[in-house]
Amino acid sequence: MVLTPLGMVHWAVKSATHLFQPSQKHRRSQSTRSAKPAKSAKTNLKSRLSLTISRRPGFILPDLVGHCTYPLHLNPNWYAVSRQSEQWLLKDANFSEKKRSVFLGLKAGELTSACYPNADPFCLQVTADFMGYLFTLDDWSDDFSIDDTYGLAECVMNALRDPVGFQTDKAAGILAKDFFGRYVSRGGPGCTERFIHTMDLFFKAVSQQARDRANGVVPELESYIEVRRDTSGCKPCFALIEFCADIDLPQEVVSHPMIQALEEATNDLVTWSNDIFSYNVEQARGDTHNMISVFMQTQGLDLQSAVDAVGDFCKQSIDRFEANRATLPSWGPDVDRDVQIYVQGLQDWIVGSLHWSFDTTRYFGQEGAAIKKHRSIKLLPLRQA
């Protein structure tokens, strides 16, 4: 049996929904509130979340690092590639001094080196450049209107589909043409097409997120999970596993339910753990596109209970990954070798992303190492508009 979100995780979603289902009276009350104009709904939403958050001065992180027993590896070329990648992006990104400092604290090259520990210097450089670029796209889209997000997507996708012929003076397009021009010189046709397709999915999901944010909408849990798997940007990063290993998996392997289940389990762990780690900075700026906020709003949980629920989902995703890996079918010795390399790459993403989350300053500032030990988070104050 393939353990997928249609199995284990959907069961967990429905169980959580049943356990925390609001009363009939409360459901009628929610229906009445949802009929109000978008501005009023957004105001009420922030008030309800702020009230729930105010009952606790902070929260305790689940011990996800302790639950993940995979060994952490680091690419031996990590330092030189990381520093070169930072300079590559800063040359064209037009950052202010403040944003430049924030970007350097990201340590995207270190994340890349932990998730692709066996990549050669060329592939590691291309992948590190993309990683820093992906986070920059995410930050840009947070500041953009819906129309601006569409324009950003069109520029980047045109650059990916024709990195040589497409002409642009936009930083997003210039950077995309550069790293993807190097990608196609080594990437196989299958993983190249998968990279382009999943980047398209990323932008479609980011546009949906922008619409939800503008309208003050907190989606239902299952619809949030579907959109979040694409806003995470994990899917193009999985195509980069093939690129870095110089493999190109056959379509029959890529489309197999067991491989897709392993990818979803990895994506879910990376994505849901990121929602936990990024929650504090996101709640401070009023961003509700986070699984913790979804649990609080749709299931009526307090902050710590919502954090614990998302943490349980994360732990289940690691268990699901192991269960599915144990029952992989065979496609013959040559293909099986490539599949094992790919699955190892997914495992590296699970453990690499968890440890990097405490190394970067993006979520915990300079306190990452200490928080990794004590796991206690003090809520940041809400930013003034």
Side-chain angles (χ1 to χ4, degrees), residues 52 111 131 161 195 233 259 302 322 341 343 358 374:
T52 307
L111 172 63
M131 200 70 69
R161 293 184 178 113
F195 183 92
I259 297 297
D302 65 25
E322 278 302 301
I341 291 172
V343 174
F358 297 95
H374 60 65

Side-chain angles (χ1 to χ4, degrees), residues 117-137:
N118 299 312
D120 66 36
F122 175 83
C123 290
L124 186 67
Q125 191 70 63
V126 173
T127 306
D129 290 352
F130 169 72
M131 200 70 69
Y133 177 72
L134 180 63
F135 278 99
T136 301
L137 287 178

Side-chain angles (χ1 to χ4, degrees), residues 24 59 82 91 96 101-102 106 156-157 187 250 258 286 293 306 308-309 335 370:
Q24 187 76 19
F59 59 94
S82 297
K91 178 171 62 70
S96 65
S101 177
V102 170
L106 172 64
V156 174
M157 292 309 301
M258 196 68 70
S293 298
D308 293 342
V335 175

Side-chain angles (χ1 to χ4, degrees), residues 108-331:
E110 281 81 345
L111 172 63
T112 307
S113 298
C115 295
Y116 307 89
N118 299 312
D120 66 36
F122 175 83
C123 290
L124 186 67
Q125 191 70 63
V126 173
T127 306
D129 290 352
F130 169 72
M131 200 70 69
Y133 177 72
L134 180 63
F135 278 99
T136 301
L137 287 178
D138 185 53
D139 290 343
W140 279 338
S141 65
D142 284 344
D143 296 333
F144 282 2
S145 67
I146 296 174
D147 288 342
D148 289 338
T149 301
Y150 283 127
L152 176 66
E154 182 179 24
C155 177
V156 174
M157 292 309 301
N158 284 336
L160 296 180
R161 293 184 178 113
D162 186 8
V164 176
F166 177 63
Q167 300 299 314
T168 180
D169 60 354
K170 304 295 185 184
I174 293 170
L175 291 165
K177 280 166 56 69
D178 188 291
F179 86 79
F180 202 62
R182 286 174 282 140
Y183 178 108
V184 297
S185 71
R186 283 275 294 271
C191 70
T192 298
E193 179 55 37
R194 283 188 281 279
F195 183 92
I196 295 171
H197 173 65
T198 53
M199 282 298 294
D200 190 39
L201 294 177
F202 166 77
F203 280 116
K204 288 177 180 177
V206 166
S207 296
Q208 179 62 52
Q209 176 185 341
R211 289 192 293 271
D212 289 346
R213 185 187 296 117
N215 294 321
V217 172
V218 176
E220 292 300 316
L221 184 57
E222 292 193 53
S223 61
Y224 172 82
I225 287 173
E226 291 301 318
V227 172
R228 188 70 176 96
R229 286 185 182 131
D230 288 319
T231 62
S232 70
C234 283
K235 293 178 180 179
C237 292
F238 296 164
L240 283 161
I241 296 174
E242 298 179 75
F243 169 77
C244 286
D246 284 322
I247 62 175
D248 201 27
L249 296 175
Q251 185 58 38
E252 66 176 301
V253 172
V254 174
S255 60
H256 193 280
M258 196 68 70
I259 297 297
Q260 293 181 345
L262 287 165
E263 290 172 342
E264 283 196 339
T266 306
N267 195 340
D268 290 346
L269 180 281
V270 174
T271 301
W272 299 343
S273 65
N274 180 261
D275 278 9
I276 295 174
F277 300 143
S278 65
Y279 175 76
N280 198 19
V281 293
E282 290 179 357
Q283 65 83 25
R285 65 175 183 246
D287 190 345
T288 57
H289 189 76
N290 186 294
M291 198 173 184
I292 294 172
S293 298
V294 172
F295 262 117
M296 292 171 68
Q297 173 66 10
T298 64
Q299 312 303 328
L301 302 185
D302 65 25
L303 175 56
Q304 187 63 58
S305 297
V307 171
D308 293 342
V310 179
D312 287 343
F313 271 33
C314 290
K315 293 173 182 178
Q316 289 170 13
S317 69
I318 297 176
D319 299 341
R320 181 159 41 101
F321 181 87
E322 278 302 301
N324 284 321
R325 173 156 62 179
T327 55
L328 272 172
S330 175
W331 289 274

